[in-house]
Amino acid sequence: MTITREDSRTYGYADLPRLMGLMTGDEKHGPAATSTLDVLWVLYDRVLRVDPEGMDDPVRDRFLLSKGHGPMAYYAVLAAKGFLPVDWLAGFGSYDSPLGHHPDRVLVPGAEIGSGSLGHGLPIAVGTALGLRAQGLDEPRVWVLVGDAELDEGSNHEAIAFAGPAGLERLHTVVVDNSSASHSRPGGIAARFEAAGWSAVTVDGRDHEALYDAFTAPHPGRPHVVVARVEPKHS
């Protein structure tokens, strides 16, 4: 991996639009990506205990991007935080680029799972939390980012129903709600998790302080979900 001179600088939130602008193509799922931008930045900038030097550390936090069909914001944040070279971004989606339209954990530094098949990330996160518990690793936290439309998939319902009674306290889910779900009602996302024994908070998905407070809220003995509401998807 070659790190360019530009990659050695420090990037902030204000740089993310430019970094995302380096990625082009007809199938880049722009609205899906931008809906996650603020959630991803707050997580990687202030919450997640993982860095480029510790990607294999067994006590690192695990972040799983289930909403993998719009990964531009994810790639931009990973580049800003030094996980991958900025000069990779311009090749996004090309034949020989490691940055595909769906992240590949084998090719993308920092990616914990290959994703894009909607409905799989939360069940994988439940399994990851169980695996860490079985190994006696109680320090790492597991975070998974899903889209509201993914909750139409039955696999998510089973994961939600299991995680609460199992007391998976180290499991955290962020649902980015851009009103894409076919089967939902206003306020129903948080209620669905709460009914299964989760701690739940609903916040403005563009408000960084509100997101941080929600991400760090205590939830002893229970998994935690943050529903991050953003503007409705129009395209």
Side-chain angles (χ1 to χ4, degrees):
M1 179 187 301
T2 301
I3 304 296
T4 66
R5 182 178 298 275
E6 184 183 12
D7 291 320
S8 65
R9 60 161 285 191
T10 300
Y11 292 90
Y13 176 76
D15 296 299
L16 295 180
R18 182 179 70 83
L19 295 178
M20 289 184 66
L22 297 174
M23 292 174 275
T24 60
D26 294 334
E27 298 183 6
K28 61 184 183 179
H29 290 283
T34 55
S35 69
T36 67
L37 186 62
D38 297 274
V39 163
L40 287 165
W41 178 256
V42 174
L43 282 172
Y44 273 91
D45 190 53
R46 302 174 63 181
V47 177
L48 291 173
R49 295 176 298 199
V50 63
D51 56 50
E53 290 72 38
M55 289 187 288
D56 296 321
D57 189 332
V59 298
R60 73 189 183 281
D61 285 347
R62 273 72 165 173
F63 174 78
L64 284 58
L65 180 68
S66 185
K67 188 175 179 176
H69 62 291
M72 289 195 306
Y74 183 48
Y75 294 154
V77 170
L78 288 177
K81 291 301 181 180
F83 288 86
L84 55 88
V86 168
D87 58 10
W88 282 13
L89 299 178
F92 166 69
S94 62
Y95 174 75
D96 57 352
S97 172
L99 306 183
H101 290 290
H102 300 273
D104 185 330
R105 70 176 183 84
V106 177
L107 301 177
V108 180
E112 295 280 356
I113 60 170
S115 57
S117 183
L118 297 180
H120 288 179
L122 182 51
I124 294 173
V126 168
T128 301
L130 285 170
L132 291 169
R133 175 192 281 181
Q135 296 174 71
L137 295 172
D138 56 6
E139 184 176 343
R141 298 170 299 183
V142 180
W143 292 82
V144 57
L145 190 158
V146 307
D148 59 319
E150 287 188 74
L151 298 181
D152 290 346
E153 300 290 341
S155 55
N156 280 298
H157 178 77
E158 294 180 12
I160 294 167
F162 175 85
L168 295 182
E169 183 178 348
R170 309 306 285 173
L171 175 63
H172 305 74
T173 299
V174 185
V175 181
V176 174
D177 180 7
N178 64 354
S179 302
S180 295
S182 300
H183 309 292
S184 65
R185 61 177 178 80
I189 295 176
R192 179 176 179 181
F193 282 84
E194 288 176 322
W198 290 58
S199 166
V201 180
T202 300
V203 297
D204 180 348
R206 300 303 186 190
D207 185 329
H208 289 196
E209 291 306 317
L211 286 168
Y212 177 76
D213 288 345
F215 292 159
T216 57
H219 50 95
R222 296 190 291 168
H224 185 56
V225 62
V226 176
V227 181
R229 289 179 172 169
V230 298
E231 59 280 359
K233 178 182 174 181
H234 295 297
S235 61

